Amino acid sequence: MVADLSQDRSRLGRSSTAELVADILRDRISEGFFRPGQRLSEESISEGLGVSRNTLREAFRLLGHERLLDHKLNRGVFVRLPSAEDVSDLYHVRRVLEGAAVRLAPPPEALAVIKEAVLDAERAAAEDDWQRVGTANIRFHQALVSLNGSPRIDEAMRQLLAELRLVFHVMENPRAFHEPFVDRNRTLLGLIESGPPERAAAYLDDYLDDAERLLIDAYAP
Amino acid sequence: MVADLSQDRSRLGRSSTAELVADILRDRISEGFFRPGQRLSEESISEGLGVSRNTLREAFRLLGHERLLDHKLNRGVFVRLPSAEDVSDLYHVRRVLEGAAVRLAPPPEALAVIKEAVLDAERAAAEDDWQRVGTANIRFHQALVSLNGSPRIDEAMRQLLAELRLVFHVMENPRAFHEPFVDRNRTLLGLIESGPPERAAAYLDDYLDDAERLLIDAYAP
DNA sequence: TCTTGTCGAATTGTTCAACGATTCCTATGT
DNA sequence: ACATAGGAATCGTTGAACAATTCGACAAGA
């Protein structure tokens, strides 16, 4: 009778001002409104958002732990500016997490989400909407990693992709970067559906190697 | 002349009161002084440590993001009490991270750290010091994962093991749990040094499957 | 007896003002 | 040009205050 409301329960506790502020700032950083390297003044932002400095500082801590902000003692918080080593490390983690995902037997309903992301990327590419291509590409890899079925890995991937977005924001033309991977996403999907896991894994490794190389070459922080 | 102090530099920036407080609380939780499920009162702890409530709250946020504390709105912070699903997920992540590590070509100097951990566990087991066996075992797996050479993965593993320690703190006799794995650590080390990576990976999978099963059976949160 | 409503104490959430400490910028002097 | 000494701006931390929320106890009603 008392249907399991234990799921909805998690939603209940999710609304302190500090977390709301963190959500807002995360979105702003993600969309590029705050640029990497930029300093975020406690005074101006707390005033702008209408929250106290203490509450804002709690939000800063949250985002600092997600590696989106860089907290320098007595100097303030800055939007993180990833180094080339950071990019390399991010791709190493991607190889581990995505590689583990494609080696698993994929549940059909999870495949549907991936397929939808591939389709959306293709549609957006046909319309020259490269902003949306990038978003769909991110959704593709997020869904890919979710094949692991692990909440912690999903969360780690979310943070990783948010950090990677910082890299894109300092590049001159991120669109050109995403273009070649629309087709490869579809190929990879096919290998996951039908091919042996090892082939998908090998293809993915090449995929990520190429992406990392392209990115690092074009990246001058 | 100015030897590379770039490593020590990371420690320099690490000294706000909030982070120090977080370090203290992390140690206390890790050693079991604060038990899982226990509520941490803002007033008593801030008074006990001689810091203001605001500073303490910043420390709480940090540990909350490490999944060591559970922040419930308007109810306070509690030492996290992992569920059986959490344990399962933690071991899934371990399989991914440690599995990726043993498939890589191991640099000799990293192997030395692993070997030292194995030896220490064996010595401690011979002396019936099961507390130290547990610590050495954790060091073993931390060193194992560090074969990835990824700072982010190292950090994730650190958090994962800290969370796993919470599980041990609610078990009746964690010592009995660690005992069978002293020998298996040595065997695994041998396979990493000499055997083909796939054999080490297979052995590791069995290892972690057994550990997870034993742990979940004995775990009643 | 069980449920429901209400009150009050205790704790958290948030804000505000203040002061010392640190960093950065600038002007001053050599 | 260079070093140095202020001074402004900002951060780090504190303490107090008040609103909001939770929780337990106790009384009223079915």
Side-chain angles (χ1 to χ4, degrees):
Chain A
M1 194 49 169
V2 185
D4 58 317
L5 303 169
S6 46
Q7 314 160 16
D8 303 337
R9 184 159 191 178
S10 59
R11 294 194 166 192
L12 270 261
R14 283 216 154 279
S15 63
S16 83
T17 307
E19 303 206 15
L20 290 182
V21 171
D23 289 341
I24 293 174
L25 295 179
R26 194 184 296 107
D27 287 344
R28 288 297 193 180
I29 294 170
S30 181
E31 77 191 19
F33 180 79
F34 293 129
R35 318 247 346 150
Q38 179 177 348
R39 176 166 154 274
L40 301 186
S41 156
E42 288 188 358
E43 187 178 351
S44 62
I45 291 185
S46 66
E47 186 180 356
L49 289 178
V51 301
S52 79
R53 255 180 72 210
N54 280 325
T55 300
L56 179 65
R57 285 167 61 84
E58 291 197 355
F60 278 168
R61 292 279 180 191
L62 291 177
L63 296 176
H65 229 272
E66 295 178 20
R67 298 185 205 262
L68 293 183
L69 295 183
D70 210 352
H71 208 132
K72 304 186 180 178
L73 191 62
N74 284 319
R75 295 192 47 206
V77 297
F78 301 77
V79 179
R80 183 104 184 294
L81 192 145
S83 67
E85 288 78 22
D86 286 321
V87 176
S88 198
D89 194 33
L90 287 172
Y91 270 86
H92 181 86
V93 178
R94 286 187 65 171
R95 271 187 286 269
V96 171
L97 298 187
E98 303 191 32
V102 300
R103 284 170 221 268
L104 264 45
E109 73 276 11
L111 274 180
V113 180
I114 302 181
K115 193 172 297 186
E116 184 51 46
V118 171
L119 278 171
D120 194 29
E122 287 172 341
R123 281 193 297 260
E127 299 170 16
D128 266 12
D129 186 348
W130 297 102
Q131 166 81 24
R132 217 176 93 211
V133 171
T135 304
N137 189 44
I138 285 183
R139 239 192 24 248
F140 172 77
H141 289 280
Q142 181 77 58
L144 188 61
V145 158
S146 80
L147 291 179
N148 279 295
S150 161
R152 280 166 185 76
I153 290 183
D154 285 350
E155 171 67 16
M157 188 65 178
R158 215 182 333 272
Q159 287 189 21
L160 187 157
L161 290 174
E163 198 177 345
L164 208 50
R165 225 188 288 238
L166 291 179
V167 177
F168 292 139
H169 278 138
V170 302
M171 287 178 55
E172 49 274 13
N173 59 343
R175 21 190 102 171
F177 174 78
H178 287 120
E179 194 271 340
F181 294 102
V182 175
D183 284 345
R184 297 177 83 164
N185 284 353
R186 167 156 300 281
T187 305
L188 180 56
L189 171 59
L191 287 174
I192 295 172
E193 283 180 319
S194 59
E198 279 313 315
R199 286 224 29 221
Y203 186 83
L204 176 65
D205 272 341
D206 284 342
Y207 179 123
L208 291 176
D209 282 346
D210 290 346
E212 175 181 359
R213 199 174 311 116
L214 281 176
L215 197 48
I216 290 207
D217 285 346
Y219 189 62
Chain B
M1 194 48 172
V2 185
D4 59 314
L5 304 169
S6 47
Q7 313 159 16
D8 304 336
R9 181 155 194 181
S10 59
R11 294 197 165 192
L12 230 25
R14 275 200 147 285
S15 61
S16 80
T17 308
E19 304 205 16
L20 290 181
V21 171
D23 289 341
I24 293 175
L25 295 180
R26 194 185 297 107
D27 287 344
R28 288 297 192 178
I29 294 170
S30 180
E31 77 191 18
F33 179 78
F34 294 129
R35 319 259 328 162
Q38 179 178 348
R39 175 168 157 274
L40 302 186
S41 156
E42 289 188 358
E43 187 178 351
S44 63
I45 292 185
S46 66
E47 186 181 356
L49 289 177
V51 300
S52 81
R53 249 180 77 213
N54 281 323
T55 300
L56 178 65
R57 284 168 62 85
E58 289 199 359
F60 279 167
R61 293 278 180 192
L62 290 177
L63 297 176
H65 227 277
E66 296 178 19
R67 297 185 206 261
L68 293 183
L69 294 183
D70 210 352
H71 207 131
K72 304 186 180 180
L73 191 62
N74 286 318
R75 295 193 44 205
V77 297
F78 300 78
V79 179
R80 183 106 183 294
L81 192 146
S83 67
E85 288 78 23
D86 286 321
V87 176
S88 197
D89 194 33
L90 287 172
Y91 270 87
H92 181 88
V93 178
R94 285 187 65 170
R95 271 187 286 270
V96 172
L97 298 187
E98 303 190 32
V102 300
R103 283 172 222 267
L104 265 45
E109 74 276 10
L111 274 180
V113 180
I114 301 181
K115 192 172 298 187
E116 185 52 45
V118 171
L119 278 170
D120 194 30
E122 289 171 339
R123 282 193 296 262
E127 300 170 15
D128 266 11
D129 186 348
W130 296 103
Q131 166 81 25
R132 218 177 93 211
V133 171
T135 303
N137 189 44
I138 285 183
R139 241 192 23 250
F140 172 77
H141 288 281
Q142 181 78 57
L144 187 61
V145 159
S146 81
L147 291 179
N148 279 296
S150 162
R152 280 166 185 75
I153 290 182
D154 285 350
E155 171 67 15
M157 188 65 177
R158 215 181 333 273
Q159 286 189 21
L160 187 156
L161 290 174
E163 199 177 344
L164 209 50
R165 225 188 287 240
L166 291 179
V167 177
F168 292 140
H169 278 138
V170 300
M171 285 179 55
E172 49 273 13
N173 59 343
R175 20 189 102 170
F177 174 78
H178 286 119
E179 194 269 340
F181 293 101
V182 176
D183 285 343
R184 298 177 83 164
N185 284 354
R186 168 155 301 280
T187 305
L188 181 56
L189 171 60
L191 287 174
I192 295 172
E193 283 181 318
S194 59
E198 279 313 315
R199 284 220 35 215
Y203 187 84
L204 176 65
D205 271 341
D206 284 342
Y207 178 122
L208 290 175
D209 282 346
D210 289 346
E212 175 182 358
R213 199 173 313 116
L214 281 176
L215 197 49
I216 290 205
D217 285 346
Y219 190 62

